[in-house]
Amino acid sequence: MTGRGKVLVAGIAAVAAVGLYLAGYARVIPLPDWMTGKTDRTTTALYQSRLDYFRQFPAVGALVFVGDSLTEFGEWAEHFPEYRVANRGIGNDHTIGLAQRLGALGDLSQSTVILTIGVNDVLALRSQPSDIIARYQAIVGELMSRSKAVVLQSTIPVTAPADTRANVSFAEMNVAMQASCRDNCSYLDLAALRAEDGSLRSDMTIDGIHLNGAGYLAWAKALREHLAGLEGEAGPQD
């Protein structure tokens, strides 16, 4: 093989390697539109596989965690060993996807739903806050009617290298959603994860969006204190 041929083969191999890397990386962090040609990842095999699992095995638990990758990546059963816990988070999810899969959650009548969603609505779908809020309110309304209780958590902000302009939308969403929380719904502001400027604390994240171990410990601590402060118990202990 000539030198030029070796360079060509090496180039093709490098491009293929980068493509495979990006395909995997998109599972965790949405890639720019120019790389993928789309922003909605709910049609991926990983999303659909997890959703089908939920359909086959409806959530049974005192605490049912619902949301996107921030929820999915949390080891909630380890944080709350005294409860029967079900994790129903799916990476790349948003309010449109969640609204469509609420039926797959199963019977929630004896469960407290721990909910946070909305990051991908802004970062990936580029939806307007008013549209996100309307969808979010409909989701919370259905969950309030179907569950023992709902703990509505604030949408977690982002920090560099993520687009921190999204935090303005998150703040608007949080104000509206807190006002929408009523009856058997309580609101938890995850202030421990925020810096003074309203962005995600840099010591709580691995990439500006997703949390590290310290971030999940702070989240779990805030949630535990919130559950303890509610009148009665969040759900039957196993």
Side-chain angles (χ1 to χ4, degrees), residues 39-108:
T39 55
D40 185 0
R41 309 282 194 277
T42 58
T43 59
T44 64
L46 287 166
Y47 185 100
Q48 291 299 316
S49 174
R50 192 160 173 81
L51 176 56
D52 186 64
Y53 179 88
F54 296 161
R55 292 192 183 107
Q56 300 299 322
F57 298 94
V60 177
L63 301 180
V64 178
F65 289 78
V66 179
D68 50 35
S69 60
L70 290 165
T71 295
E72 180 186 352
F73 297 165
E75 298 294 347
W76 304 112
E78 295 183 14
H79 288 297
F80 297 92
E82 70 274 32
Y83 292 100
R84 187 170 185 178
V85 172
N87 188 335
R88 291 300 181 262
I90 307 182
N92 295 317
D93 210 3
H94 40 62
T95 57
I96 297 175
L98 178 55
Q100 294 173 344
R101 69 179 179 92
L102 288 177
L105 295 178
D107 181 6
L108 300 172

Side-chain angles (χ1 to χ4, degrees), residues 37-229:
K38 64 177 182 177
T39 55
D40 185 0
R41 309 282 194 277
T42 58
T43 59
T44 64
L46 287 166
Y47 185 100
Q48 291 299 316
S49 174
R50 192 160 173 81
L51 176 56
D52 186 64
Y53 179 88
F54 296 161
R55 292 192 183 107
Q56 300 299 322
F57 298 94
V60 177
L63 301 180
V64 178
F65 289 78
V66 179
D68 50 35
S69 60
L70 290 165
T71 295
E72 180 186 352
F73 297 165
E75 298 294 347
W76 304 112
E78 295 183 14
H79 288 297
F80 297 92
E82 70 274 32
Y83 292 100
R84 187 170 185 178
V85 172
N87 188 335
R88 291 300 181 262
I90 307 182
N92 295 317
D93 210 3
H94 40 62
T95 57
I96 297 175
L98 178 55
Q100 294 173 344
R101 69 179 179 92
L102 288 177
L105 295 178
D107 181 6
L108 300 172
S109 60
Q110 300 303 312
S111 300
T112 292
V113 176
I114 313 297
L115 173 66
T116 185
I117 196 79
V119 172
N120 292 314
D121 288 81
V122 177
L123 294 181
L125 298 185
R126 308 296 181 186
S127 294
Q128 294 300 311
S130 58
D131 295 330
I132 302 169
I133 291 166
R135 297 193 295 260
Y136 210 155
Q137 288 173 332
I139 290 169
V140 172
E142 179 171 343
L143 290 175
M144 286 192 297
S145 69
R146 290 176 50 191
S147 65
K148 178 181 178 180
V150 175
V151 175
L152 177 58
Q153 302 165 116
S154 58
T155 301
I156 297 173
V158 298
T159 192
D163 187 356
T164 56
R165 292 174 298 180
N167 291 334
V168 176
S169 296
F170 297 151
E172 181 179 343
M173 291 157 51
N174 288 337
V175 170
M177 293 312 302
Q178 182 174 10
S180 300
C181 204
R182 62 189 186 280
D183 301 329
N184 60 332
C185 174
S186 62
Y187 183 81
L188 171 57
D189 182 12
L190 296 174
L193 299 175
R194 288 199 305 272
E196 291 184 0
D197 64 357
S199 63
L200 178 60
R201 285 175 49 178
S202 60
D203 61 337
M204 297 285 184
T205 181
I206 59 171
D207 55 10
I209 301 175
H210 298 87
L211 303 181
N212 57 19
Y216 278 107
L217 287 173
W219 184 352
K221 180 176 183 293
L223 178 56
R224 177 173 293 282
E225 292 173 351
H226 181 80
L227 292 174

